[in-house]
Amino acid sequence: MKGVFGARIIAVALAVALVAAAALALFAVLGANGAVARTGPLTVHAGLEAPPSPFVRANGLYDGKGGKAQLEARISGAMTGPLSPVAVKSGDGKLVVYNTWHELRAVDGERSFSAQGIGDGDVLGVPELRVYDGSGHDELLARGAYSAAWRADGAIAFVEATQPEFRAGGNYEGRVVVRQSIRGRNVAWIKEPAHYVVYGWAGDRLLVYRVGLGEKLELLVADTPGRVRPLADGSAIALSPDATRVAVLDQEATNVRVLDVATGRELAWLDVTTATPALRWVSYSGSWAGDHIVTPASAGLAVFHTGPSSLELEQVLSLDRAQFPVGVQQPRFADDDGNDISATVDIPPSASGGAVSFFIKCDRITRSCERGAAAPAKDWLRPVEQEGGTP
């Protein structure tokens, strides 16, 4: 169910999903054949038959090659928005964990709670995590749980709520736990109750958001069970392919830093308002491939080039705001050369129709894009992430 947060948590679902997605830009870098990826506008046309990777929509799991598996429950990213993926495949490719919502009261995500007669403390539903194994078996992983991440050895981390029922107007707090396998016992890695969202594993270390007042984000590192330290105030843009570095964004969304995950040491820094071309802001939930990072930005999508101790803005690709009023979400490099980028686009409701989502795939060298068919936004059309942060 989309937009279940209400009062304060809705900022991490719809508001975070749209505001964070209010970034309009795309990609960058050198092409495989030596062509230079240059800053400029993107041209978009219909024609994307299928995303370049597996994806989910409603209660379907699609392999990106024409195949579809039926899930036992509908996908829902209402508890996380774009802070973490709605569905993640294990490292061996055998399991997919996905977020869903067990509805106890119908809620219209496009109307206020008061207009629907919903008061503070009313029970709305229970978030759940389920696991699909590829053979048609779909089972409940945990009730009152959301935001999962696989470790390379098959261990799985997620947020376990202190009280499973989600109530309107309240804080949905929990702790962060890890299981060695889907049927293992829960081991608390972060015990103190708070509003958490699991970002992902950086090797054997776990990166977690703590969401505070006003949806303020703090990125934490859990080195081992009970050993937790702050890494940065702000959000994560992307984790390096070797999982040793993370690009982070400050609360003002203007300063990008590359940090060493193990020590917290700053390796590189860039103020995007003084870059060329200058940007008003950049956003989180991007992707890192090779020595390039792609993320949403005020002018469109931005591509950064990073070295051991350097960070520079390499390319900005803009989209027509009339067509894409809230930009793109969760851009990902879609090929080994880093020339293709895929992303999700959300179009808010208008007088002509309800909110919809669709995929877009762009060549950052030619600056041309194909867009896929639209789906109702409530279907949570999203890519399936692979353990390690890539689709």
Side-chain angles (χ1 to χ4, degrees), residues 222-316:
D223 294 296
T224 56
R227 186 183 172 192
V228 185
R229 55 188 166 91
L231 184 66
D233 286 335
S235 51
I237 295 176
L239 186 68
S240 65
D242 63 3
T244 63
R245 296 169 291 163
V246 62
V248 299
L249 181 64
D250 69 350
Q251 301 285 357
E252 287 69 39
T254 58
N255 290 293
V256 179
R257 296 189 296 153
V258 177
L259 306 178
D260 180 88
V261 176
T263 64
R265 182 168 63 93
E266 182 180 293
L267 304 174
W269 169 85
L270 178 66
D271 181 349
V272 299
T273 65
T274 63
T276 302
L279 296 167
R280 296 195 313 276
W281 50 264
V282 294
S283 190
Y284 48 80
S285 296
S287 176
W288 191 330
D291 53 7
H292 287 89
I293 300 169
V294 61
T295 193
S298 57
L301 278 168
V303 178
F304 297 91
H305 181 272
T306 182
S309 60
S310 64
L311 181 69
E312 62 181 356
L313 180 61
E314 183 171 284
Q315 185 185 29
V316 174

Side-chain angles (χ1 to χ4, degrees), residues 17 25 80 116 131 277 290 320 339 386:
T80 62
Q116 300 174 69
V131 176
D320 182 357
N339 292 333
Q386 181 78 30

